[in-house]
Amino acid sequence: QVQFVESGGALVQPGGSLKLSCTAPGLTMRDYAIGWFRQAPGKEREGVSCASAGLSDTYYTDSVKGRFTISRDNAKSTVYLEMNSLKPEDTAVYYCGANLMRRRCTDYFINYEYDYWGQGTQVTVSS
């Protein structure tokens, strides 16, 4: 059983920054595509970002391009999502996860195809 753990969420003012962390004890995360998705109240789940195995390519949904950056620290087996210029519409619970059959990011995987994910971390952007 794979258990993902997200952390780093907080209340932040518009224009502020946060850095989310994602770990999965026991999983060699560098071998898999790792995705971030978010769920806001009353809205559908939205794939936000993804890093393919080996960080060979990355994906960002249009609404976060230029503001969010995904990265890996393989020594720590951790994937980060750095979020800058945050907007109220970024408010959501953010989850990270993987499908152990996937090494590359695809639009379908990022939005629908996770088989493991964590409990999520709350990001609230408000003044």
Side-chain angles (χ1 to χ4, degrees), residues 54-66:
L55 205 63
S56 56
D57 57 85
T58 56
Y59 165 95
Y60 300 95
T61 194
D62 286 345
S63 62
V64 308
K65 284 180 181 176

Side-chain angles (χ1 to χ4, degrees), residues 4 28 34 61 72 74 86 90 105:
F4 282 84
T28 306
I34 303 297
T61 194
R72 292 179 180 263
N74 289 332
L86 282 162
D90 294 317
C105 298

Side-chain angles (χ1 to χ4, degrees), residues 31-107:
D31 291 341
Y32 305 98
I34 303 297
W36 286 93
F37 62 95
R38 63 189 179 187
Q39 182 89 57
K43 295 186 177 180
E44 292 188 359
R45 184 168 73 179
E46 178 186 28
V48 175
S49 183
C50 179
S52 291
L55 205 63
S56 56
D57 57 85
T58 56
Y59 165 95
Y60 300 95
T61 194
D62 286 345
S63 62
V64 308
K65 284 180 181 176
R67 301 188 297 123
F68 289 13
T69 303
I70 192 168
S71 62
R72 292 179 180 263
D73 184 335
N74 289 332
K76 296 182 178 180
S77 198
T78 301
V79 174
Y80 301 101
L81 185 67
E82 185 167 4
M83 307 186 296
N84 299 311
S85 302
L86 282 162
K87 304 175 181 180
E89 51 263 44
D90 294 317
T91 296
V93 179
Y94 284 71
Y95 302 85
C96 67
N99 180 310
L100 300 189
M101 299 297 291
R102 297 285 174 252
R103 289 177 53 83
R104 299 295 301 276
C105 298
T106 66
D107 186 69

Side-chain angles (χ1 to χ4, degrees), residues 3-26:
Q3 183 63 53
F4 282 84
V5 180
E6 304 93 343
S7 62
L11 170 64
V12 63
Q13 292 187 342
S17 299
L18 284 174
K19 188 173 184 177
L20 306 184
S21 298
C22 170
T23 62

